[in-house]
PDB file of all heavy atoms in Angstrom:
ATOM      1  N   GLY A   1      11.277   8.383 -32.661  1.00 97.00           N
ATOM      2  CA  GLY A   1      10.256   7.496 -32.106  1.00 97.00           C
ATOM      3  C   GLY A   1       8.925   7.549 -32.828  1.00 97.00           C
ATOM      4  O   GLY A   1       8.114   6.633 -32.702  1.00 97.00           O
ATOM      5  N   GLU A   2       8.689   8.622 -33.595  1.00 96.00           N
ATOM      6  CA  GLU A   2       7.433   8.699 -34.353  1.00 96.00           C
ATOM      7  C   GLU A   2       7.342   7.605 -35.409  1.00 96.00           C
ATOM      8  O   GLU A   2       6.250   7.306 -35.908  1.00 96.00           O
ATOM      9  CB  GLU A   2       7.302  10.080 -35.011  1.00 96.00           C
ATOM     10  CG  GLU A   2       8.206  10.325 -36.226  1.00 96.00           C
ATOM     11  CD  GLU A   2       9.657  10.627 -35.883  1.00 96.00           C
ATOM     12  OE1 GLU A   2       9.944  10.807 -34.669  1.00 96.00           O
ATOM     13  OE2 GLU A   2      10.490  10.701 -36.799  1.00 96.00           O
ATOM     14  N   ALA A   3       8.477   6.989 -35.755  1.00 97.00           N
ATOM     15  CA  ALA A   3       8.495   5.932 -36.780  1.00 97.00           C
ATOM     16  C   ALA A   3       8.460   4.534 -36.173  1.00 97.00           C
ATOM     17  O   ALA A   3       8.603   3.549 -36.896  1.00 97.00           O
ATOM     18  CB  ALA A   3       9.745   6.083 -37.648  1.00 97.00           C
ATOM     19  N   ARG A   4       8.261   4.441 -34.876  1.00 97.00           N
ATOM     20  CA  ARG A   4       8.193   3.125 -34.228  1.00 97.00           C
ATOM     21  C   ARG A   4       7.048   2.310 -34.810  1.00 97.00           C
ATOM     22  O   ARG A   4       5.956   2.817 -35.050  1.00 97.00           O
ATOM     23  CB  ARG A   4       8.017   3.302 -32.725  1.00 97.00           C
ATOM     24  CG  ARG A   4       7.989   1.994 -31.953  1.00 97.00           C
ATOM     25  CD  ARG A   4       8.012   2.223 -30.458  1.00 97.00           C
ATOM     26  NE  ARG A   4       7.984   0.953 -29.731  1.00 97.00           N
ATOM     27  CZ  ARG A   4       8.264   0.816 -28.456  1.00 97.00           C
ATOM     28  NH1 ARG A   4       8.584   1.879 -27.726  1.00 97.00           N
ATOM     29  NH2 ARG A   4       8.207  -0.373 -27.880  1.00 97.00           N
ATOM     30  N   MET A   5       7.269   1.008 -34.976  1.00 97.00           N
ATOM     31  CA  MET A   5       6.274   0.156 -35.626  1.00 97.00           C
ATOM     32  C   MET A   5       5.236  -0.388 -34.643  1.00 97.00           C
ATOM     33  O   MET A   5       4.063  -0.486 -34.976  1.00 97.00           O
ATOM     34  CB  MET A   5       6.983  -1.010 -36.328  1.00 97.00           C
ATOM     35  CG  MET A   5       6.142  -1.738 -37.350  1.00 97.00           C
ATOM     36  SD  MET A   5       5.708  -0.700 -38.758  1.00 97.00           S
ATOM     37  CE  MET A   5       5.108  -1.909 -39.931  1.00 97.00           C
ATOM     38  N   ASN A   6       5.650  -0.754 -33.424  1.00 95.00           N
ATOM     39  CA  ASN A   6       4.720  -1.409 -32.512  1.00 95.00           C
ATOM     40  C   ASN A   6       5.071  -1.101 -31.063  1.00 95.00           C
ATOM     41  O   ASN A   6       6.231  -1.037 -30.684  1.00 95.00           O
ATOM     42  CB  ASN A   6       4.753  -2.924 -32.725  1.00 95.00           C
ATOM     43  CG  ASN A   6       3.774  -3.663 -31.819  1.00 95.00           C
ATOM     44  OD1 ASN A   6       2.612  -3.263 -31.711  1.00 95.00           O
ATOM     45  ND2 ASN A   6       4.220  -4.723 -31.181  1.00 95.00           N
ATOM     46  N   PHE A   7       4.019  -0.941 -30.258  1.00 92.00           N
ATOM     47  CA  PHE A   7       4.142  -0.857 -28.814  1.00 92.00           C
ATOM     48  C   PHE A   7       3.513  -2.125 -28.235  1.00 92.00           C
ATOM     49  O   PHE A   7       2.277  -2.242 -28.192  1.00 92.00           O
ATOM     50  CB  PHE A   7       3.409   0.374 -28.269  1.00 92.00           C
ATOM     51  CG  PHE A   7       4.054   1.686 -28.635  1.00 92.00           C
ATOM     52  CD1 PHE A   7       3.817   2.278 -29.872  1.00 92.00           C
ATOM     53  CD2 PHE A   7       4.899   2.328 -27.745  1.00 92.00           C
ATOM     54  CE1 PHE A   7       4.400   3.479 -30.214  1.00 92.00           C
ATOM     55  CE2 PHE A   7       5.492   3.540 -28.084  1.00 92.00           C
ATOM     56  CZ  PHE A   7       5.243   4.116 -29.318  1.00 92.00           C
ATOM     57  N   PRO A   8       4.320  -3.117 -27.825  1.00 85.00           N
ATOM     58  CA  PRO A   8       3.756  -4.389 -27.336  1.00 85.00           C
ATOM     59  C   PRO A   8       2.753  -4.172 -26.209  1.00 85.00           C
ATOM     60  O   PRO A   8       2.924  -3.299 -25.353  1.00 85.00           O
ATOM     61  CB  PRO A   8       4.988  -5.145 -26.835  1.00 85.00           C
ATOM     62  CG  PRO A   8       6.119  -4.581 -27.620  1.00 85.00           C
ATOM     63  CD  PRO A   8       5.792  -3.135 -27.814  1.00 85.00           C
ATOM     64  N   GLY A   9       1.686  -4.976 -26.257  1.00 77.00           N
ATOM     65  CA  GLY A   9       0.664  -4.908 -25.222  1.00 77.00           C
ATOM     66  C   GLY A   9      -0.367  -3.822 -25.431  1.00 77.00           C
ATOM     67  O   GLY A   9      -1.240  -3.631 -24.583  1.00 77.00           O
ATOM     68  N   THR A  10      -0.280  -3.096 -26.555  1.00 84.00           N
ATOM     69  CA  THR A  10      -1.271  -2.061 -26.855  1.00 84.00           C
ATOM     70  C   THR A  10      -2.004  -2.399 -28.144  1.00 84.00           C
ATOM     71  O   THR A  10      -1.498  -3.128 -28.994  1.00 84.00           O
ATOM     72  CB  THR A  10      -0.610  -0.679 -27.009  1.00 84.00           C
ATOM     73  OG1 THR A  10       0.218  -0.677 -28.185  1.00 84.00           O
ATOM     74  CG2 THR A  10       0.244  -0.344 -25.804  1.00 84.00           C
ATOM     75  N   VAL A  11      -3.209  -1.877 -28.291  1.00 83.00           N
ATOM     76  CA  VAL A  11      -4.014  -2.089 -29.492  1.00 83.00           C
ATOM     77  C   VAL A  11      -4.392  -0.725 -30.063  1.00 83.00           C
ATOM     78  O   VAL A  11      -4.855   0.151 -29.343  1.00 83.00           O
ATOM     79  CB  VAL A  11      -5.289  -2.895 -29.172  1.00 83.00           C
ATOM     80  CG1 VAL A  11      -6.146  -3.040 -30.428  1.00 83.00           C
ATOM     81  CG2 VAL A  11      -4.935  -4.263 -28.605  1.00 83.00           C
ATOM     82  N   GLY A  12      -4.188  -0.568 -31.369  1.00 86.00           N
ATOM     83  CA  GLY A  12      -4.503   0.700 -32.020  1.00 86.00           C
ATOM     84  C   GLY A  12      -3.269   1.576 -32.133  1.00 86.00           C
ATOM     85  O   GLY A  12      -2.492   1.707 -31.184  1.00 86.00           O
ATOM     86  N   GLY A  13      -3.080   2.145 -33.316  1.00 91.00           N
ATOM     87  CA  GLY A  13      -1.947   3.031 -33.534  1.00 91.00           C
ATOM     88  C   GLY A  13      -0.642   2.343 -33.859  1.00 91.00           C
ATOM     89  O   GLY A  13       0.391   3.008 -33.965  1.00 91.00           O
ATOM     90  N   ASN A  14      -0.681   1.010 -34.010  1.00 96.00           N
ATOM     91  CA  ASN A  14       0.528   0.264 -34.348  1.00 96.00           C
ATOM     92  C   ASN A  14       0.558  -0.110 -35.829  1.00 96.00           C
ATOM     93  O   ASN A  14      -0.446  -0.021 -36.526  1.00 96.00           O
ATOM     94  CB  ASN A  14       0.612  -1.008 -33.504  1.00 96.00           C
ATOM     95  CG  ASN A  14       0.809  -0.710 -32.035  1.00 96.00           C
ATOM     96  OD1 ASN A  14       1.584   0.168 -31.669  1.00 96.00           O
ATOM     97  ND2 ASN A  14       0.097  -1.430 -31.171  1.00 96.00           N
ATOM     98  N   TRP A  15       1.747  -0.528 -36.312  1.00 97.00           N
ATOM     99  CA  TRP A  15       1.945  -1.080 -37.654  1.00 97.00           C
ATOM    100  C   TRP A  15       1.754  -0.043 -38.761  1.00 97.00           C
ATOM    101  O   TRP A  15       1.568  -0.401 -39.909  1.00 97.00           O
ATOM    102  CB  TRP A  15       1.004  -2.276 -37.903  1.00 97.00           C
ATOM    103  CG  TRP A  15       0.793  -3.134 -36.716  1.00 97.00           C
ATOM    104  CD1 TRP A  15      -0.361  -3.260 -35.997  1.00 97.00           C
ATOM    105  CD2 TRP A  15       1.762  -3.983 -36.085  1.00 97.00           C
ATOM    106  NE1 TRP A  15      -0.172  -4.130 -34.947  1.00 97.00           N
ATOM    107  CE2 TRP A  15       1.125  -4.596 -34.978  1.00 97.00           C
ATOM    108  CE3 TRP A  15       3.107  -4.283 -36.347  1.00 97.00           C
ATOM    109  CZ2 TRP A  15       1.791  -5.493 -34.142  1.00 97.00           C
ATOM    110  CZ3 TRP A  15       3.762  -5.167 -35.509  1.00 97.00           C
ATOM    111  CH2 TRP A  15       3.105  -5.762 -34.428  1.00 97.00           C
ATOM    112  N   LEU A  16       1.810   1.241 -38.425  1.00 96.00           N
ATOM    113  CA  LEU A  16       1.399   2.274 -39.374  1.00 96.00           C
ATOM    114  C   LEU A  16       2.545   2.914 -40.151  1.00 96.00           C
ATOM    115  O   LEU A  16       2.303   3.522 -41.201  1.00 96.00           O
ATOM    116  CB  LEU A  16       0.641   3.392 -38.631  1.00 96.00           C
ATOM    117  CG  LEU A  16      -0.640   2.974 -37.901  1.00 96.00           C
ATOM    118  CD1 LEU A  16      -1.246   4.178 -37.191  1.00 96.00           C
ATOM    119  CD2 LEU A  16      -1.643   2.372 -38.877  1.00 96.00           C
ATOM    120  N   TRP A  17       3.785   2.815 -39.671  1.00 97.00           N
ATOM    121  CA  TRP A  17       4.866   3.578 -40.291  1.00 97.00           C
ATOM    122  C   TRP A  17       5.078   3.208 -41.751  1.00 97.00           C
ATOM    123  O   TRP A  17       5.050   2.049 -42.135  1.00 97.00           O
ATOM    124  CB  TRP A  17       6.185   3.375 -39.543  1.00 97.00           C
ATOM    125  CG  TRP A  17       7.314   4.075 -40.244  1.00 97.00           C
ATOM    126  CD1 TRP A  17       7.545   5.424 -40.269  1.00 97.00           C
ATOM    127  CD2 TRP A  17       8.316   3.486 -41.079  1.00 97.00           C
ATOM    128  NE1 TRP A  17       8.643   5.710 -41.051  1.00 97.00           N
ATOM    129  CE2 TRP A  17       9.142   4.541 -41.563  1.00 97.00           C
ATOM    130  CE3 TRP A  17       8.605   2.173 -41.466  1.00 97.00           C
ATOM    131  CZ2 TRP A  17      10.230   4.318 -42.400  1.00 97.00           C
ATOM    132  CZ3 TRP A  17       9.693   1.942 -42.314  1.00 97.00           C
ATOM    133  CH2 TRP A  17      10.494   3.004 -42.768  1.00 97.00           C
ATOM    134  N   ARG A  18       5.321   4.256 -42.569  1.00 97.00           N
ATOM    135  CA  ARG A  18       5.667   4.063 -43.975  1.00 97.00           C
ATOM    136  C   ARG A  18       6.868   4.920 -44.329  1.00 97.00           C
ATOM    137  O   ARG A  18       7.023   6.027 -43.817  1.00 97.00           O
ATOM    138  CB  ARG A  18       4.484   4.441 -44.883  1.00 97.00           C
ATOM    139  CG  ARG A  18       3.268   3.549 -44.703  1.00 97.00           C
ATOM    140  CD  ARG A  18       2.155   3.989 -45.625  1.00 97.00           C
ATOM    141  NE  ARG A  18       2.525   3.800 -47.022  1.00 97.00           N
ATOM    142  CZ  ARG A  18       2.050   4.540 -48.020  1.00 97.00           C
ATOM    143  NH1 ARG A  18       1.204   5.520 -47.781  1.00 97.00           N
ATOM    144  NH2 ARG A  18       2.412   4.287 -49.260  1.00 97.00           N
ATOM    145  N   MET A  19       7.695   4.386 -45.201  1.00 97.00           N
ATOM    146  CA  MET A  19       8.866   5.117 -45.676  1.00 97.00           C
ATOM    147  C   MET A  19       8.444   6.106 -46.761  1.00 97.00           C
ATOM    148  O   MET A  19       7.628   5.776 -47.621  1.00 97.00           O
ATOM    149  CB  MET A  19       9.894   4.128 -46.232  1.00 97.00           C
ATOM    150  CG  MET A  19      11.161   4.780 -46.750  1.00 97.00           C
ATOM    151  SD  MET A  19      12.399   3.555 -47.254  1.00 97.00           S
ATOM    152  CE  MET A  19      11.597   2.867 -48.726  1.00 97.00           C
ATOM    153  N   ARG A  20       9.023   7.279 -46.740  1.00 96.00           N
ATOM    154  CA  ARG A  20       8.704   8.287 -47.754  1.00 96.00           C
ATOM    155  C   ARG A  20       9.349   7.941 -49.091  1.00 96.00           C
ATOM    156  O   ARG A  20      10.456   7.378 -49.128  1.00 96.00           O
ATOM    157  CB  ARG A  20       9.183   9.660 -47.291  1.00 96.00           C
ATOM    158  CG  ARG A  20       8.368  10.210 -46.137  1.00 96.00           C
ATOM    159  CD  ARG A  20       8.426  11.709 -46.086  1.00 96.00           C
ATOM    160  NE  ARG A  20       7.384  12.239 -45.211  1.00 96.00           N
ATOM    161  CZ  ARG A  20       7.004  13.506 -45.208  1.00 96.00           C
ATOM    162  NH1 ARG A  20       7.579  14.356 -46.039  1.00 96.00           N
ATOM    163  NH2 ARG A  20       6.056  13.918 -44.400  1.00 96.00           N
ATOM    164  N   PRO A  21       8.692   8.280 -50.191  1.00 95.00           N
ATOM    165  CA  PRO A  21       9.296   8.033 -51.507  1.00 95.00           C
ATOM    166  C   PRO A  21      10.663   8.700 -51.616  1.00 95.00           C
ATOM    167  O   PRO A  21      10.847   9.849 -51.182  1.00 95.00           O
ATOM    168  CB  PRO A  21       8.292   8.667 -52.480  1.00 95.00           C
ATOM    169  CG  PRO A  21       6.989   8.672 -51.738  1.00 95.00           C
ATOM    170  CD  PRO A  21       7.344   8.876 -50.298  1.00 95.00           C
ATOM    171  N   GLY A  22      11.612   7.996 -52.184  1.00 96.00           N
ATOM    172  CA  GLY A  22      12.940   8.546 -52.397  1.00 96.00           C
ATOM    173  C   GLY A  22      13.876   8.441 -51.214  1.00 96.00           C
ATOM    174  O   GLY A  22      15.063   8.799 -51.321  1.00 96.00           O
ATOM    175  N   ALA A  23      13.385   7.958 -50.064  1.00 97.00           N
ATOM    176  CA  ALA A  23      14.250   7.884 -48.877  1.00 97.00           C
ATOM    177  C   ALA A  23      15.370   6.865 -49.057  1.00 97.00           C
ATOM    178  O   ALA A  23      16.494   7.067 -48.601  1.00 97.00           O
ATOM    179  CB  ALA A  23      13.419   7.546 -47.643  1.00 97.00           C
ATOM    180  N   ALA A  24      15.061   5.750 -49.708  1.00 98.00           N
ATOM    181  CA  ALA A  24      16.069   4.713 -49.962  1.00 98.00           C
ATOM    182  C   ALA A  24      16.814   5.076 -51.241  1.00 98.00           C
ATOM    183  O   ALA A  24      16.580   4.504 -52.311  1.00 98.00           O
ATOM    184  CB  ALA A  24      15.403   3.340 -50.071  1.00 98.00           C
ATOM    185  N   ASP A  25      17.729   6.021 -51.136  1.00 98.00           N
ATOM    186  CA  ASP A  25      18.385   6.553 -52.341  1.00 98.00           C
ATOM    187  C   ASP A  25      19.782   5.966 -52.524  1.00 98.00           C
ATOM    188  O   ASP A  25      20.272   5.181 -51.702  1.00 98.00           O
ATOM    189  CB  ASP A  25      18.426   8.074 -52.287  1.00 98.00           C
ATOM    190  CG  ASP A  25      19.175   8.620 -51.068  1.00 98.00           C
ATOM    191  OD1 ASP A  25      19.938   7.866 -50.437  1.00 98.00           O
ATOM    192  OD2 ASP A  25      18.990   9.809 -50.740  1.00 98.00           O
ATOM    193  N   ASP A  26      20.427   6.376 -53.593  1.00 98.00           N
ATOM    194  CA  ASP A  26      21.747   5.832 -53.922  1.00 98.00           C
ATOM    195  C   ASP A  26      22.800   6.239 -52.896  1.00 98.00           C
ATOM    196  O   ASP A  26      23.745   5.478 -52.638  1.00 98.00           O
ATOM    197  CB  ASP A  26      22.178   6.302 -55.313  1.00 98.00           C
ATOM    198  CG  ASP A  26      21.403   5.609 -56.434  1.00 98.00           C
ATOM    199  OD1 ASP A  26      20.715   4.608 -56.146  1.00 98.00           O
ATOM    200  OD2 ASP A  26      21.490   6.062 -57.590  1.00 98.00           O
ATOM    201  N   ALA A  27      22.664   7.409 -52.323  1.00 98.00           N
ATOM    202  CA  ALA A  27      23.649   7.847 -51.332  1.00 98.00           C
ATOM    203  C   ALA A  27      23.620   6.942 -50.105  1.00 98.00           C
ATOM    204  O   ALA A  27      24.668   6.527 -49.594  1.00 98.00           O
ATOM    205  CB  ALA A  27      23.374   9.299 -50.933  1.00 98.00           C
ATOM    206  N   LEU A  28      22.408   6.636 -49.623  1.00 98.00           N
ATOM    207  CA  LEU A  28      22.281   5.730 -48.487  1.00 98.00           C
ATOM    208  C   LEU A  28      22.790   4.339 -48.848  1.00 98.00           C
ATOM    209  O   LEU A  28      23.509   3.701 -48.065  1.00 98.00           O
ATOM    210  CB  LEU A  28      20.823   5.660 -48.026  1.00 98.00           C
ATOM    211  CG  LEU A  28      20.525   4.690 -46.876  1.00 98.00           C
ATOM    212  CD1 LEU A  28      21.349   5.042 -45.641  1.00 98.00           C
ATOM    213  CD2 LEU A  28      19.032   4.696 -46.553  1.00 98.00           C
ATOM    214  N   ALA A  29      22.443   3.859 -50.034  1.00 98.00           N
ATOM    215  CA  ALA A  29      22.914   2.549 -50.480  1.00 98.00           C
ATOM    216  C   ALA A  29      24.441   2.502 -50.504  1.00 98.00           C
ATOM    217  O   ALA A  29      25.058   1.507 -50.085  1.00 98.00           O
ATOM    218  CB  ALA A  29      22.355   2.225 -51.865  1.00 98.00           C
ATOM    219  N   GLY A  30      25.065   3.579 -50.943  1.00 98.00           N
ATOM    220  CA  GLY A  30      26.517   3.621 -50.997  1.00 98.00           C
ATOM    221  C   GLY A  30      27.152   3.546 -49.623  1.00 98.00           C
ATOM    222  O   GLY A  30      28.164   2.845 -49.430  1.00 98.00           O
ATOM    223  N   ARG A  31      26.563   4.246 -48.648  1.00 98.00           N
ATOM    224  CA  ARG A  31      27.107   4.221 -47.284  1.00 98.00           C
ATOM    225  C   ARG A  31      26.977   2.831 -46.675  1.00 98.00           C
ATOM    226  O   ARG A  31      27.904   2.339 -46.008  1.00 98.00           O
ATOM    227  CB  ARG A  31      26.410   5.263 -46.415  1.00 98.00           C
ATOM    228  CG  ARG A  31      26.718   6.706 -46.809  1.00 98.00           C
ATOM    229  CD  ARG A  31      26.296   7.675 -45.727  1.00 98.00           C
ATOM    230  NE  ARG A  31      24.848   7.702 -45.521  1.00 98.00           N
ATOM    231  CZ  ARG A  31      24.017   8.471 -46.209  1.00 98.00           C
ATOM    232  NH1 ARG A  31      24.478   9.264 -47.172  1.00 98.00           N
ATOM    233  NH2 ARG A  31      22.719   8.459 -45.940  1.00 98.00           N
ATOM    234  N   ILE A  32      25.829   2.196 -46.903  1.00 98.00           N
ATOM    235  CA  ILE A  32      25.630   0.853 -46.346  1.00 98.00           C
ATOM    236  C   ILE A  32      26.569  -0.145 -47.025  1.00 98.00           C
ATOM    237  O   ILE A  32      27.147  -1.024 -46.370  1.00 98.00           O
ATOM    238  CB  ILE A  32      24.157   0.416 -46.505  1.00 98.00           C
ATOM    239  CG1 ILE A  32      23.229   1.340 -45.709  1.00 98.00           C
ATOM    240  CG2 ILE A  32      23.978  -1.034 -46.042  1.00 98.00           C
ATOM    241  CD1 ILE A  32      21.754   1.103 -45.982  1.00 98.00           C
ATOM    242  N   ARG A  33      26.733  -0.007 -48.326  1.00 98.00           N
ATOM    243  CA  ARG A  33      27.618  -0.924 -49.050  1.00 98.00           C
ATOM    244  C   ARG A  33      29.065  -0.795 -48.564  1.00 98.00           C
ATOM    245  O   ARG A  33      29.767  -1.803 -48.396  1.00 98.00           O
ATOM    246  CB  ARG A  33      27.544  -0.665 -50.561  1.00 98.00           C
ATOM    247  CG  ARG A  33      28.282  -1.726 -51.369  1.00 98.00           C
ATOM    248  CD  ARG A  33      28.067  -1.572 -52.859  1.00 98.00           C
ATOM    249  NE  ARG A  33      28.628  -2.724 -53.541  1.00 98.00           N
ATOM    250  CZ  ARG A  33      27.984  -3.859 -53.782  1.00 98.00           C
ATOM    251  NH1 ARG A  33      26.728  -3.998 -53.379  1.00 98.00           N
ATOM    252  NH2 ARG A  33      28.578  -4.849 -54.407  1.00 98.00           N
ATOM    253  N   ALA A  34      29.493   0.423 -48.307  1.00 98.00           N
ATOM    254  CA  ALA A  34      30.848   0.631 -47.797  1.00 98.00           C
ATOM    255  C   ALA A  34      31.008  -0.038 -46.430  1.00 98.00           C
ATOM    256  O   ALA A  34      32.045  -0.669 -46.156  1.00 98.00           O
ATOM    257  CB  ALA A  34      31.151   2.124 -47.708  1.00 98.00           C
ATOM    258  N   LEU A  35      29.985   0.073 -45.582  1.00 98.00           N
ATOM    259  CA  LEU A  35      30.028  -0.581 -44.269  1.00 98.00           C
ATOM    260  C   LEU A  35      30.056  -2.099 -44.419  1.00 98.00           C
ATOM    261  O   LEU A  35      30.793  -2.795 -43.711  1.00 98.00           O
ATOM    262  CB  LEU A  35      28.818  -0.137 -43.436  1.00 98.00           C
ATOM    263  CG  LEU A  35      28.705  -0.741 -42.037  1.00 98.00           C
ATOM    264  CD1 LEU A  35      29.946  -0.429 -41.194  1.00 98.00           C
ATOM    265  CD2 LEU A  35      27.437  -0.227 -41.343  1.00 98.00           C
ATOM    266  N   ASN A  36      29.266  -2.608 -45.351  1.00 98.00           N
ATOM    267  CA  ASN A  36      29.293  -4.053 -45.625  1.00 98.00           C
ATOM    268  C   ASN A  36      30.691  -4.503 -46.037  1.00 98.00           C
ATOM    269  O   ASN A  36      31.173  -5.561 -45.620  1.00 98.00           O
ATOM    270  CB  ASN A  36      28.291  -4.400 -46.731  1.00 98.00           C
ATOM    271  CG  ASN A  36      26.931  -4.785 -46.186  1.00 98.00           C
ATOM    272  OD1 ASN A  36      26.836  -5.574 -45.265  1.00 98.00           O
ATOM    273  ND2 ASN A  36      25.878  -4.220 -46.764  1.00 98.00           N
ATOM    274  N   GLY A  37      31.327  -3.698 -46.881  1.00 97.00           N
ATOM    275  CA  GLY A  37      32.673  -4.044 -47.332  1.00 97.00           C
ATOM    276  C   GLY A  37      33.678  -4.055 -46.191  1.00 97.00           C
ATOM    277  O   GLY A  37      34.503  -4.971 -46.073  1.00 97.00           O
ATOM    278  N   ARG A  38      33.590  -3.048 -45.318  1.00 97.00           N
ATOM    279  CA  ARG A  38      34.547  -2.957 -44.206  1.00 97.00           C
ATOM    280  C   ARG A  38      34.370  -4.083 -43.193  1.00 97.00           C
ATOM    281  O   ARG A  38      35.330  -4.472 -42.527  1.00 97.00           O
ATOM    282  CB  ARG A  38      34.399  -1.604 -43.481  1.00 97.00           C
ATOM    283  CG  ARG A  38      34.796  -0.406 -44.308  1.00 97.00           C
ATOM    284  CD  ARG A  38      35.012   0.813 -43.409  1.00 97.00           C
ATOM    285  NE  ARG A  38      33.837   1.157 -42.613  1.00 97.00           N
ATOM    286  CZ  ARG A  38      32.864   1.965 -43.030  1.00 97.00           C
ATOM    287  NH1 ARG A  38      32.918   2.489 -44.257  1.00 97.00           N
ATOM    288  NH2 ARG A  38      31.854   2.263 -42.237  1.00 97.00           N
ATOM    289  N   THR A  39      33.149  -4.606 -43.077  1.00 98.00           N
ATOM    290  CA  THR A  39      32.876  -5.631 -42.053  1.00 98.00           C
ATOM    291  C   THR A  39      32.747  -7.033 -42.635  1.00 98.00           C
ATOM    292  O   THR A  39      32.336  -7.959 -41.937  1.00 98.00           O
ATOM    293  CB  THR A  39      31.591  -5.268 -41.279  1.00 98.00           C
ATOM    294  OG1 THR A  39      30.499  -5.111 -42.212  1.00 98.00           O
ATOM    295  CG2 THR A  39      31.770  -3.975 -40.495  1.00 98.00           C
ATOM    296  N   GLY A  40      33.099  -7.191 -43.912  1.00 97.00           N
ATOM    297  CA  GLY A  40      33.118  -8.523 -44.518  1.00 97.00           C
ATOM    298  C   GLY A  40      31.758  -9.142 -44.720  1.00 97.00           C
ATOM    299  O   GLY A  40      31.616 -10.367 -44.650  1.00 97.00           O
ATOM    300  N   ARG A  41      30.750  -8.314 -44.999  1.00 98.00           N
ATOM    301  CA  ARG A  41      29.391  -8.840 -45.155  1.00 98.00           C
ATOM    302  C   ARG A  41      28.866  -8.745 -46.592  1.00 98.00           C
ATOM    303  O   ARG A  41      27.671  -8.942 -46.825  1.00 98.00           O
ATOM    304  CB  ARG A  41      28.429  -8.124 -44.203  1.00 98.00           C
ATOM    305  CG  ARG A  41      28.751  -8.401 -42.729  1.00 98.00           C
ATOM    306  CD  ARG A  41      27.691  -7.888 -41.781  1.00 98.00           C
ATOM    307  NE  ARG A  41      28.056  -8.128 -40.395  1.00 98.00           N
ATOM    308  CZ  ARG A  41      27.830  -9.257 -39.727  1.00 98.00           C
ATOM    309  NH1 ARG A  41      27.234 -10.265 -40.342  1.00 98.00           N
ATOM    310  NH2 ARG A  41      28.200  -9.388 -38.467  1.00 98.00           N
ATOM    311  N   LEU A  42      29.722  -8.445 -47.548  1.00 95.00           N
ATOM    312  CA  LEU A  42      29.297  -8.421 -48.949  1.00 95.00           C
ATOM    313  C   LEU A  42      29.321  -9.828 -49.518  1.00 95.00           C
ATOM    314  O   LEU A  42      30.365 -10.471 -49.527  1.00 95.00           O
ATOM    315  CB  LEU A  42      30.214  -7.515 -49.768  1.00 95.00           C
ATOM    316  CG  LEU A  42      29.957  -6.023 -49.744  1.00 95.00           C
ATOM    317  CD1 LEU A  42      30.997  -5.309 -50.593  1.00 95.00           C
ATOM    318  CD2 LEU A  42      28.567  -5.693 -50.250  1.00 95.00           C
ATOM    319  N   LEU A  43      28.177 -10.307 -50.017  1.00 85.00           N
ATOM    320  CA  LEU A  43      28.141 -11.644 -50.590  1.00 85.00           C
ATOM    321  C   LEU A  43      28.684 -11.657 -52.002  1.00 85.00           C
ATOM    322  O   LEU A  43      29.090 -12.695 -52.516  1.00 85.00           O
ATOM    323  CB  LEU A  43      26.706 -12.177 -50.616  1.00 85.00           C
ATOM    324  CG  LEU A  43      26.082 -12.521 -49.259  1.00 85.00           C
ATOM    325  CD1 LEU A  43      24.830 -13.337 -49.469  1.00 85.00           C
ATOM    326  CD2 LEU A  43      27.054 -13.275 -48.370  1.00 85.00           C
ATOM    327  N   ARG A  44      28.667 -10.497 -52.658  1.00 76.00           N
ATOM    328  CA  ARG A  44      29.141 -10.416 -54.049  1.00 76.00           C
ATOM    329  C   ARG A  44      30.243  -9.365 -54.172  1.00 76.00           C
ATOM    330  O   ARG A  44      30.112  -8.373 -54.878  1.00 76.00           O
ATOM    331  CB  ARG A  44      27.977 -10.074 -54.987  1.00 76.00           C
ATOM    332  CG  ARG A  44      26.885 -11.153 -54.991  1.00 76.00           C
ATOM    333  CD  ARG A  44      25.766 -10.784 -55.920  1.00 76.00           C
ATOM    334  NE  ARG A  44      24.798 -11.863 -56.049  1.00 76.00           N
ATOM    335  CZ  ARG A  44      23.711 -11.802 -56.822  1.00 76.00           C
ATOM    336  NH1 ARG A  44      23.465 -10.717 -57.526  1.00 76.00           N
ATOM    337  NH2 ARG A  44      22.886 -12.823 -56.886  1.00 76.00           N
ATOM    338  N   PRO A  45      31.370  -9.590 -53.499  1.00 66.00           N
ATOM    339  CA  PRO A  45      32.436  -8.572 -53.533  1.00 66.00           C
ATOM    340  C   PRO A  45      33.055  -8.421 -54.909  1.00 66.00           C
ATOM    341  O   PRO A  45      33.691  -7.421 -55.191  1.00 66.00           O
ATOM    342  CB  PRO A  45      33.465  -9.125 -52.538  1.00 66.00           C
ATOM    343  CG  PRO A  45      33.184 -10.603 -52.477  1.00 66.00           C
ATOM    344  CD  PRO A  45      31.707 -10.734 -52.664  1.00 66.00           C
TER     345      PRO A  45
END
């Protein structure tokens, strides 16, 4: 929950989350791509 982007109806403390460098790595990309393949969502199979 510390990475939540917005709390509707509140002002201040929103829109602040940032991804850490290196978080979007090849291992994560591979897992997502495999899921895309299994569920028929790859546009460039």
Side-chain angles (χ1 to χ4, degrees):
E2 74 283 352
R4 182 172 180 166
M5 197 65 166
N6 181 47
F7 291 83
T10 67
V11 177
N14 294 318
W15 323 111
L16 300 178
W17 176 74
R18 295 180 65 208
M19 180 175 69
R20 290 205 165 196
D25 59 17
D26 287 347
L28 177 59
R31 292 194 295 273
I32 297 171
R33 189 173 188 88
L35 179 58
N36 268 313
R38 293 197 302 272
T39 56
R41 295 189 182 275
L42 278 179
L43 290 194
R44 297 180 174 181

